């Protein structure tokens, strides 16, 4: 990310009063090459997946991957290919 975005994030997103910036912008994902699947808040609620689904993040075999690296187009439809370091436990099935 550029210095401009880092500075803007530091000024507008560093405390509770400054959260207005992150709460009022939306990601433009495009092909998914600029947004990290787990670390960036690209969903509508702005919460990153690693915070929202901490247990799944912990067992993920694809940390720090961009969105486009997490799946593929099959017949014009996107299919996620989420790799884990171990099988899901019963309590994690609903999260997945």
């Amino acid at each position: 990310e550029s210095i401009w975005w880092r500075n803007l994030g530091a000024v507008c997103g560093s405390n509770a009063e400054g959260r207005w910036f992150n709460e009022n912008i939306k990601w433009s994902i495009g092909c998914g090459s600029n947004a990290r699947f787990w670390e960036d808040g690209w969903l509508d609620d702005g919460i990153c997946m690693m915070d929202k689904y901490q247990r799944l993040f912990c067992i993920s075999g694809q940390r720090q991957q961009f969105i486009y690296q997490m799946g593929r187009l099959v017949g014009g439809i996107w299919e996620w290919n989420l790799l884990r370091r171990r099988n899901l436990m019963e309590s994690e099935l609903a999260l997945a």
Side-chain angles (χ1 to χ4, degrees):
E1 65 188 12
S2 70
I3 291 174
W4 188 86
W5 280 109
R6 281 195 304 262
N7 288 341
L8 189 60
V11 170
C12 300
S14 59
N15 58 39
E17 295 170 0
R19 296 288 304 154
W20 64 268
F21 181 76
N22 287 336
E23 291 170 357
N24 291 291
I25 62 169
K26 297 289 180 196
W27 282 82
S28 177
I29 298 302
C31 68
S33 63
N34 291 318
R36 295 201 183 273
F37 180 81
W38 289 108
E39 294 87 356
D40 292 328
W42 56 275
L43 296 173
D44 286 342
D45 60 10
I47 301 170
C48 67
M49 297 278 278
M50 76 176 176
D51 289 340
K52 197 171 189 174
Y53 302 104
Q54 293 175 4
R55 295 223 16 166
L56 296 178
F57 175 72
C58 288
I59 63 171
S60 174
Q62 297 163 290
R63 296 181 188 182
Q64 299 185 350
Q65 299 292 305
F66 292 99
I67 294 171
Y68 82 97
Q69 296 171 304
M70 301 294 284
R72 60 190 170 108
L73 278 177
V74 177
I77 298 172
W78 183 259
E79 290 186 2
W80 295 106
N81 183 25
L82 305 178
L83 305 175
R84 297 174 210 75
R85 295 181 299 140
R86 63 166 173 79
N87 290 331
L88 292 172
M89 293 189 302
E90 182 94 20
S91 62
E92 297 166 334
L93 290 174
L95 290 173

